[in-house]
Amino acid sequence: SRNERLQKETEFNNALAEAVAFRGKNEWPKAIVAYERALKVYPDKDEVKKALKETRETAHREAVKLALAKAGDYETQTEWEQARSAYNTAMELEPKNEDAKEGYFRTGRMIRALMQYNKLVEVAEVHVQHAEFQSAIRAFNEAVATKPAYLPLTDRVTQLREVLAVQSKPVEVTFNSDGDSWV
């Protein structure tokens, strides 16, 4: 029985030492597993229960903080889909987080603006293909008005702009009277 108790103490102390070491390295999942292992040996240790609870709370806060930081980095790089996904992760972890909500809605607006811009450029291209230049110019101008400022014009859009510029030049017209009509 003494040997069994010594073995239990050793297992508990090893698990506790691992938990403290992992916690010091901010390896929260491993620390949680080590605390849980220690509690399997001695389930009534209140200080271990408290440390486990604190570790879970810290892991949660760090996960939210990491998701928000990742979202901010993606937003800085104008990678809107990834930023929105990271904000969504933060909201899943902490539904009442205002920064996550604001970022999620902000990135959604940017994604919709980009989709609208691309759609209007495509509409303008279709109008050009059908030689409906006035409609194409209106669609192109609307697209440019919705285009985010950071977004450069692609070669495709630049070519479309040049085609529309050529088509919008005034054409000189001369009317000749047939002598019977007033011109």
Side-chain angles (χ1 to χ4, degrees):
S1 104
R2 179 190 258 178
N3 190 24
E4 193 176 298
R5 189 173 42 109
L6 187 60
Q7 189 177 8
K8 241 178 148 179
E9 280 291 322
T10 304
E11 189 178 336
F12 175 78
N13 289 334
N14 287 342
L16 205 54
E18 281 181 27
V20 170
F22 286 133
R23 193 171 171 168
K25 296 180 205 173
N26 295 339
E27 294 181 19
W28 310 114
K30 291 179 181 180
I32 290 170
V33 169
Y35 278 128
E36 288 172 344
R37 238 181 28 245
L39 280 175
K40 283 181 183 175
V41 177
Y42 290 120
D44 297 332
K45 294 278 187 176
D46 288 335
E47 66 274 2
V48 177
K49 287 179 183 177
K50 183 180 175 187
L52 176 60
K53 182 181 176 189
E54 288 173 0
T55 302
R56 283 186 174 144
E57 289 171 355
T58 303
H60 178 77
R61 277 193 310 275
E62 289 295 319
V64 171
K65 195 161 90 174
L66 178 65
L68 288 173
K70 194 185 290 186
D73 290 344
Y74 283 133
E75 219 174 325
T76 302
Q77 299 166 7
T78 64
E79 295 178 11
W80 305 112
E81 293 286 340
Q82 294 89 338
R84 186 174 173 126
S85 177
Y87 281 124
N88 188 44
T89 300
M91 285 187 347
E92 286 173 356
L93 292 170
E94 196 172 294
K96 294 182 181 179
N97 188 304
E98 288 301 316
D99 291 337
K101 285 180 185 178
E102 288 173 18
Y104 185 80
F105 293 128
R106 183 176 53 250
T107 54
R109 282 191 301 273
M110 287 304 297
I111 291 168
R112 283 189 297 282
L114 288 171
M115 289 171 61
Q116 179 71 12
Y117 167 72
N118 289 327
K119 179 184 171 206
L120 289 168
V121 167
E122 288 174 11
V123 167
E125 287 175 333
V126 168
H127 285 302
V128 166
Q129 290 171 356
H130 292 106
E132 299 168 351
F133 297 110
Q134 289 301 315
S135 299
I137 289 170
R138 279 192 297 276
F140 182 80
N141 287 341
E142 191 177 342
V144 170
T146 63
K147 181 183 84 62
Y150 75 89
L151 189 66
L153 292 178
T154 62
D155 290 338
R156 172 181 145 215
V157 176
T158 304
Q159 289 172 354
L160 178 62
R161 181 179 61 187
E162 290 169 0
V163 166
L164 293 174
V166 167
Q167 292 301 322
S168 66
K169 287 183 182 176
V171 178
E172 196 171 307
V173 177
T174 304
F175 291 101
N176 291 323
S177 176
D178 60 359
D180 295 333
S181 304
W182 186 76
V183 178

